[in-house]
Amino acid sequence: MTAVLAAPPLHRDRRRWAWGLGGLVVLGWSLAGAGLFSGPVLNPSGLRQFGRFAAAALSPAHDAEFLRVLAEATLVTVAYAALGAALAVVLGSLGAVAVSRTTWGRRRAGWTAVRGVLAVPRGLHEAVWGLLLVNVLGLDPWVGVLAIGIPYGAVTAKVFADLLDEVPRGGYEALLASGAGRGTAALYGLLPQAAGGLLSYSFYRLECAVRSAVVLGLIGAGGLGYQLALSFASLRWEQVWAAVYALAALCVLADVGGRAVRRRVAEPRSADGSRPARDRVLVVAGLGSLALVAWSWWFLALSPATLTSARTVDQLSYVLDAAWPPATEGDLLTAIGSAAVDTVQMSVIAIAVATAGAVLLSGVAARRPGTGPARWAAGLAVRLILLLLRAVPPPVWALVLLFVLLPGVLPGALALGVYALGVLGRLVAEASEEVDGRPRAALRASGAPPLGAWLYGVLPALGGPVLALALYRWEVAIRDTVLVGLLGAGGIGVLLSGRIAAFDWAAVTTVLAAIVLLTLAVDLVSERARAALR
């Protein structure tokens, strides 16, 4: 008698359902907290000004004097980005050896403690570092460089350490056996093998540093962000759009250059695959980056003596003395709790908006071979729109939305959502390009319309990657909420900005600690959710 093998019963993962329903409940709670169900949120009187802003997109400022100012501001932004990214790579390379699981071996307690210390600079947005450093260094170019380099260095150290832990350990263990120290063994036994991944991520950090340099300009560090803020404050919309287009062009150059380098790093071998090839593009990119760093140092006229001057030391000592012990008044803690709730609600709404928009646009934005001219043109237009969305910093979107929305959590949330849509839209479109196209092709061959083929042939396969990307982006969004808050759009950033303006350093310490704990909590929840949804 032949045994019949029964198919395993379908198992409904209760954890997935719990996380999914929980996410919907949190979203509803966030929308209610933003006032969407309790009263008016629109500001009809601002529609005319918003119309002027939108109409100016077709006629950006192009007079010679303003273009000269814009070009100089662009150079300042590039210099900040280059030096900040270079500092981040140096700090990340040094820190990676200190936080790598491989170099710590079985000493898990020490590894956990070092990783915990690293989470502090990583948990604070670059704009927060900028505001803090301004109070120590004044309006010195070092503010922009350090504000990018310190938090990016902490992030880079974590990523570099993870890359080091992935490479074979034979050379590392051989060096240890010969008597070398752990640091030396990691330097010569692990770093060379991970060089490709390290180089690729370094150029990705340079792309991100361009956007961070723009954000720092909004708080007075100079560059394109500063020029954008000045034009916005004076309601010169033609100048605003000229700065936006300059930002978009800069982001395009950074994205294209970084992607070209990462593509070359992914396939670095010669045609026969026998040995690494000397890729001219990588050589030029490396030498060009070094030249850019040297030029940036000269252009910004950085002086290391500034960091150790008597004024800097005295001001740092004053701030540290005034910042400890942290303030623990009941009113402050209550205000922090309320602001933290607003911050979480802003981030949840932002990611919901960005995820929905990214899914809807991914079918058009994805590059597919064999498409007609109309489909190609539509895809190009959507990708350019996504580029503009992520080129403009979230605070600028918040100021624009305040024309048509009443002040509160919602403008900040939607501003973050618009910005995150620019990022998620690109990532989800790229994920859509990687999906197996056979189900979609089969549906099209059977007579299904393009939309139906995408809904049933592509969208189900995108579910896992989209949720993972959305949760990763939520971790970033919780930090960006502090940024829009610093410029008055709500959340815990408003509280921090007020305390810094009042030089209440003890309260600033408490608020900063709350921000770090909040970001760590969101990181933990996001990690657990990703694990449950796999």
Side-chain angles (χ1 to χ4, degrees), residues 341-406:
V341 169
D342 289 345
T343 298
V344 172
Q345 291 175 338
M346 288 170 63
S347 66
V348 170
I349 296 172
I351 293 305
V353 169
T355 303
V359 171
L360 291 174
L361 295 176
S362 62
V364 182
R367 296 179 176 88
R368 299 192 184 279
T371 57
R375 169 66 176 78
W376 178 87
L380 178 62
V382 171
R383 288 192 293 273
L384 288 176
I385 291 172
L386 293 175
L387 174 64
L388 281 176
L389 295 184
R390 65 177 180 267
V392 180
V396 176
W397 289 121
L399 293 173
V400 170
L401 288 169
L402 281 171
F403 288 141
V404 294
L405 296 174
L406 296 175

